[in-house]
Short mmCIF file of all heavy atoms in Angstrom, two decimals:
data_model
loop_
_atom_site.label_atom_id
_atom_site.label_comp_id
_atom_site.label_asym_id
_atom_site.label_seq_id
_atom_site.Cartn_x
_atom_site.Cartn_y
_atom_site.Cartn_z
N ASP A 1 0.86 -1.19 0.00
CA ASP A 1 0.00 0.00 0.00
C ASP A 1 0.90 1.24 0.00
O ASP A 1 1.55 1.55 1.00
CB ASP A 1 -0.91 0.00 1.23
CG ASP A 1 -1.87 1.18 1.23
OD1 ASP A 1 -2.38 1.51 0.14
OD2 ASP A 1 -2.09 1.78 2.30
N CYS A 2 0.93 1.95 -1.11
CA CYS A 2 1.83 3.09 -1.28
C CYS A 2 1.19 4.39 -0.79
O CYS A 2 -0.05 4.51 -0.77
CB CYS A 2 2.20 3.26 -2.76
SG CYS A 2 3.06 1.84 -3.47
N PRO A 3 2.00 5.39 -0.45
CA PRO A 3 1.45 6.70 -0.11
C PRO A 3 0.93 7.39 -1.37
O PRO A 3 1.30 7.03 -2.49
CB PRO A 3 2.66 7.45 0.47
CG PRO A 3 3.84 6.78 -0.13
CD PRO A 3 3.47 5.34 -0.31
N PRO A 4 0.05 8.39 -1.22
CA PRO A 4 -0.50 9.10 -2.38
C PRO A 4 0.47 10.15 -2.92
O PRO A 4 0.19 11.35 -2.92
CB PRO A 4 -1.77 9.74 -1.81
CG PRO A 4 -1.45 9.96 -0.37
CD PRO A 4 -0.58 8.81 0.04
N SER A 5 1.61 9.69 -3.38
CA SER A 5 2.62 10.57 -3.97
C SER A 5 3.57 9.71 -4.78
O SER A 5 3.52 8.48 -4.73
CB SER A 5 3.41 11.31 -2.87
OG SER A 5 4.21 10.38 -2.14
N LEU A 6 4.45 10.37 -5.53
CA LEU A 6 5.44 9.63 -6.33
C LEU A 6 6.84 9.91 -5.79
O LEU A 6 7.79 10.08 -6.54
CB LEU A 6 5.33 10.01 -7.81
CG LEU A 6 4.03 9.61 -8.50
CD1 LEU A 6 4.01 10.10 -9.94
CD2 LEU A 6 3.82 8.10 -8.45
N GLY A 7 6.98 9.94 -4.46
CA GLY A 7 8.26 10.20 -3.82
C GLY A 7 9.10 8.95 -3.64
O GLY A 7 8.87 7.91 -4.27
N LEU A 8 10.07 9.03 -2.74
CA LEU A 8 11.03 7.95 -2.55
C LEU A 8 10.40 6.69 -1.97
O LEU A 8 10.84 5.57 -2.27
CB LEU A 8 12.19 8.43 -1.66
CG LEU A 8 13.39 7.49 -1.50
CD1 LEU A 8 13.95 7.04 -2.83
CD2 LEU A 8 14.46 8.17 -0.65
N LEU A 9 9.36 6.84 -1.15
CA LEU A 9 8.68 5.67 -0.62
C LEU A 9 8.02 4.88 -1.75
O LEU A 9 8.17 3.66 -1.86
CB LEU A 9 7.65 6.06 0.43
CG LEU A 9 8.17 6.63 1.75
CD1 LEU A 9 7.01 7.02 2.66
CD2 LEU A 9 9.09 5.64 2.45
N THR A 10 7.28 5.58 -2.60
CA THR A 10 6.64 4.91 -3.74
C THR A 10 7.68 4.35 -4.69
O THR A 10 7.51 3.24 -5.23
CB THR A 10 5.70 5.88 -4.47
OG1 THR A 10 4.68 6.31 -3.57
CG2 THR A 10 5.07 5.22 -5.68
N LEU A 11 8.78 5.06 -4.90
CA LEU A 11 9.85 4.55 -5.75
C LEU A 11 10.39 3.23 -5.19
O LEU A 11 10.63 2.28 -5.95
CB LEU A 11 10.98 5.57 -5.88
CG LEU A 11 12.20 5.14 -6.70
CD1 LEU A 11 11.79 4.74 -8.12
CD2 LEU A 11 13.23 6.26 -6.74
N ASN A 12 10.57 3.14 -3.89
CA ASN A 12 11.00 1.89 -3.27
C ASN A 12 10.01 0.77 -3.57
O ASN A 12 10.42 -0.36 -3.84
CB ASN A 12 11.16 2.07 -1.76
CG ASN A 12 12.59 2.29 -1.34
OD1 ASN A 12 13.31 1.36 -0.96
ND2 ASN A 12 13.04 3.54 -1.42
N ALA A 13 8.72 1.08 -3.50
CA ALA A 13 7.71 0.06 -3.79
C ALA A 13 7.78 -0.41 -5.23
O ALA A 13 7.70 -1.61 -5.51
CB ALA A 13 6.32 0.62 -3.49
N LEU A 14 7.95 0.53 -6.17
CA LEU A 14 8.01 0.17 -7.58
C LEU A 14 9.26 -0.63 -7.91
O LEU A 14 9.22 -1.56 -8.74
CB LEU A 14 7.95 1.43 -8.45
CG LEU A 14 6.66 2.26 -8.35
CD1 LEU A 14 6.75 3.50 -9.22
CD2 LEU A 14 5.44 1.42 -8.72
N VAL A 15 10.36 -0.30 -7.28
CA VAL A 15 11.60 -1.05 -7.51
C VAL A 15 11.49 -2.46 -6.95
O VAL A 15 12.04 -3.42 -7.51
CB VAL A 15 12.80 -0.30 -6.89
CG1 VAL A 15 14.07 -1.15 -6.96
CG2 VAL A 15 13.03 1.02 -7.62
N ALA A 16 10.73 -2.61 -5.86
CA ALA A 16 10.60 -3.93 -5.22
C ALA A 16 9.59 -4.83 -5.91
O ALA A 16 9.61 -6.04 -5.70
CB ALA A 16 10.19 -3.74 -3.76
N SER A 17 8.72 -4.27 -6.75
CA SER A 17 7.54 -5.00 -7.23
C SER A 17 7.74 -5.63 -8.59
O SER A 17 8.57 -5.22 -9.40
CB SER A 17 6.34 -4.05 -7.28
OG SER A 17 6.02 -3.58 -6.00
N ASP A 18 6.90 -6.64 -8.84
CA ASP A 18 6.80 -7.24 -10.17
C ASP A 18 5.83 -6.44 -11.03
O ASP A 18 6.00 -6.36 -12.25
CB ASP A 18 6.29 -8.68 -10.07
CG ASP A 18 7.22 -9.57 -9.25
OD1 ASP A 18 8.40 -9.67 -9.60
OD2 ASP A 18 6.75 -10.13 -8.24
N SER A 19 4.81 -5.86 -10.39
CA SER A 19 3.78 -5.18 -11.16
C SER A 19 3.08 -4.13 -10.30
O SER A 19 3.31 -4.03 -9.10
CB SER A 19 2.75 -6.18 -11.71
OG SER A 19 2.10 -6.86 -10.64
N VAL A 20 2.21 -3.36 -10.97
CA VAL A 20 1.52 -2.24 -10.33
C VAL A 20 0.02 -2.35 -10.59
O VAL A 20 -0.40 -2.59 -11.73
CB VAL A 20 2.03 -0.89 -10.87
CG1 VAL A 20 1.34 0.27 -10.16
CG2 VAL A 20 3.54 -0.79 -10.73
N ILE A 21 -0.77 -2.17 -9.54
CA ILE A 21 -2.21 -2.04 -9.67
C ILE A 21 -2.57 -0.59 -9.35
O ILE A 21 -2.10 -0.04 -8.34
CB ILE A 21 -2.96 -3.00 -8.73
CG1 ILE A 21 -2.90 -4.43 -9.30
CG2 ILE A 21 -4.40 -2.57 -8.52
CD1 ILE A 21 -3.54 -5.47 -8.40
N VAL A 22 -3.41 0.01 -10.20
CA VAL A 22 -3.81 1.41 -10.03
C VAL A 22 -5.31 1.49 -9.79
O VAL A 22 -6.09 1.20 -10.70
CB VAL A 22 -3.43 2.26 -11.26
CG1 VAL A 22 -3.82 3.72 -11.03
CG2 VAL A 22 -1.95 2.13 -11.58
N PRO A 23 -5.75 1.85 -8.59
CA PRO A 23 -7.18 2.12 -8.39
C PRO A 23 -7.56 3.44 -9.06
O PRO A 23 -6.86 4.45 -8.91
CB PRO A 23 -7.31 2.22 -6.86
CG PRO A 23 -6.04 1.64 -6.31
CD PRO A 23 -4.99 1.93 -7.33
N LEU A 24 -8.65 3.44 -9.79
CA LEU A 24 -9.10 4.63 -10.52
C LEU A 24 -10.52 4.95 -10.10
O LEU A 24 -11.45 4.19 -10.37
CB LEU A 24 -9.03 4.38 -12.03
CG LEU A 24 -9.45 5.53 -12.94
CD1 LEU A 24 -8.49 6.70 -12.80
CD2 LEU A 24 -9.54 5.07 -14.39
N GLN A 25 -10.68 6.07 -9.43
CA GLN A 25 -12.00 6.49 -8.95
C GLN A 25 -12.88 6.91 -10.12
O GLN A 25 -12.43 7.62 -11.03
CB GLN A 25 -11.84 7.66 -7.98
CG GLN A 25 -13.13 8.13 -7.35
CD GLN A 25 -12.89 9.33 -6.43
OE1 GLN A 25 -11.81 9.92 -6.46
NE2 GLN A 25 -13.87 9.68 -5.64
#
């Protein structure tokens, strides 16, 4: 569960992951 930003925390998640799911309201 990523924070609502594209900062270093989210970058860590993307580097660690195989794929990305995007919830779209």
Side-chain angles (χ1 to χ4, degrees):
D1 183 40
C2 299
S5 68
L6 295 177
L8 188 52
L9 292 178
T10 299
L11 178 57
N12 261 264
L14 296 178
V15 172
S17 297
D18 300 303
S19 61
V20 182
I21 284 176
V22 182
L24 181 66
Q25 183 182 13

